Amino acid sequence: MVIKIPRALTPLAALNFSKTMASLHREKEFIYDFSDMQHCPPFGMLITVNAIKQNKISFPQSFHTAINYDKTQGCEVAANFGFFQMCDWNIGRKTTAESYGATYIPIKKISIKDLQSKYLQSTLVLGEMIERYSQDLAITLTQNAKSPLTATFRYCLREIIRNSYEHGNTEEVWICGEYWESKEKAEIAIIDEGRGIWHSLRQNRHYNPRNDKEANKLALQPGVTRTYGQKQDPMDVWSNSGYGLYTASSVCCCGGSFWLCSGDDATLVNRKNQINYNIKYKGTAVCMNIDTTKIPDIETILPEITKAGESQAKRFGDARVLTASKVSTIASLMSDIN
């Protein structure tokens, strides 16, 4: 069976490709044809890699062959990002948790063990490790440690990575990102293969989403967390208060868009509305498209987003955390503290 890889790995094209792959039946051989692949943004690459990997897992006795992977410029870009190596083909660059590029983050898997190994000699808790690592990733994108844009990227990376570890019941995430300075745009993608948002929120007796679409809509609202009602340390600035997805999506929507994908639903959020698409994805995937000309300094915009979120949470009723955690205001400054 020949599987044609889409020409442009836009979010929707990649998600549709993933849905099609999930419906395949066993074949003696799967031939992945890359002759058309040209446009390879971060999220599309991650989703496509995941779809190919899942197909290999589903049909381990089948042959899985890549062809025409050296025919287009898009394939060359993908190879440099580690795309083919992540599909377990010995083609192109092999990346690790410590791999970086110039204004881009190649595809790489980041596990809790990786972070613990990186900060072996420190006394940092997991949240602090994620903060430091997110700072490294953000600097990779901007090549400027002191840029306000770096702080914005760091904040968004940190919130989504934390969300995956804390709610996805997983110990590893996949990351990819790129900043096109000439276009003044960036795309940051983070996916996991955990239990998904619906299954996570169902652990909280206060919520009863009937499906993935309802769960994703709920997760994007402020103050929603599966840990509501559980006792938390008031001195722990990393205590999750259910504002992570809300704040990160709000930042992106200042001048871009935010995709939240889990289970059977992909929710696209922009400044004007939310649009839902039927997909098939095991775990949670996030795509942050950022127009850097319209994103204010994170330290300026974050208090405004937090205040609006707290006001909104109060209107939604008892099963909400009404105050954003201290991580929203304190941890964002940690990279400046020695």
Side-chain angles (χ1 to χ4, degrees), residues 243-275:
Y243 283 75
L245 288 174
Y246 167 77
T247 51
S249 62
S250 297
V251 169
C252 293
C253 289
C254 287
S257 62
F258 186 93
W259 286 82
L260 178 62
C261 312
S262 186
D264 294 333
D265 178 74
T267 301
L268 168 61
V269 187
N270 55 39
R271 183 186 288 271
K272 295 181 179 180
N273 53 27
Q274 290 189 14
I275 305 172

Side-chain angles (χ1 to χ4, degrees), residues 137-185:
L137 295 173
I139 292 174
T140 296
L141 293 173
T142 64
Q143 300 295 302
N144 185 343
K146 298 299 182 180
S147 167
L149 187 58
T150 302
T152 300
F153 288 162
R154 179 185 73 233
Y155 180 86
C156 291
L157 281 160
R158 184 192 71 222
E159 291 302 298
I160 304 305
I161 294 172
R162 287 179 63 238
N163 198 75
S164 288
Y165 287 149
E166 294 175 0
H167 300 306
N169 197 28
T170 183
E171 294 193 351
E172 58 188 38
V173 300
W174 299 78
I175 300 175
C176 187
E178 188 166 10
Y179 171 41
W180 300 278
E181 187 173 8
S182 61
K183 299 179 181 179
E184 298 182 306
K185 296 184 182 298

Side-chain angles (χ1 to χ4, degrees), residues 24 28 48 52 65 70 92 102 130 139 148 171 175 192 195 199 203 209 221 226-227 251 283 290 304 325 335:
L24 296 181
K28 182 178 180 180
T48 304
I52 293 172
T65 307
D70 56 354
I130 295 172
I139 292 174
E171 294 193 351
I175 300 175
D192 67 57
R195 62 182 169 184
H199 292 288
Q203 301 299 308
Q221 296 174 5
R226 70 177 178 85
T227 60
V251 169
I290 302 171
E304 299 176 10
S325 67
S335 63

Side-chain angles (χ1 to χ4, degrees), residues 50-94:
N50 179 268
I52 293 172
K53 284 176 53 194
Q54 292 301 321
N55 199 49
K56 287 187 168 186
I57 292 172
S58 297
F59 307 108
Q61 303 303 318
S62 302
F63 294 99
H64 297 267
T65 307
I67 63 172
N68 297 320
Y69 50 80
D70 56 354
K71 301 297 184 181
T72 68
Q73 186 176 4
C75 289
E76 183 179 345
V77 170
N80 192 49
F81 270 77
F83 177 97
F84 297 103
Q85 290 284 347
M86 289 299 180
C87 294
D88 294 324
W89 290 312
N90 191 23
I91 303 168
R93 179 185 183 186
K94 185 173 184 177

Side-chain angles (χ1 to χ4, degrees), residues 99-113:
S99 297
Y100 294 94
T103 71
Y104 71 90
I105 302 167
I107 299 172
K108 53 185 177 178
K109 180 176 68 175
I110 308 300
S111 68
I112 293 177
K113 288 183 179 179

Side-chain angles (χ1 to χ4, degrees), residues 115 128 175 225 272 328:
L115 296 177
E128 293 168 334
I175 300 175
T225 171
K272 295 181 179 180
S328 298

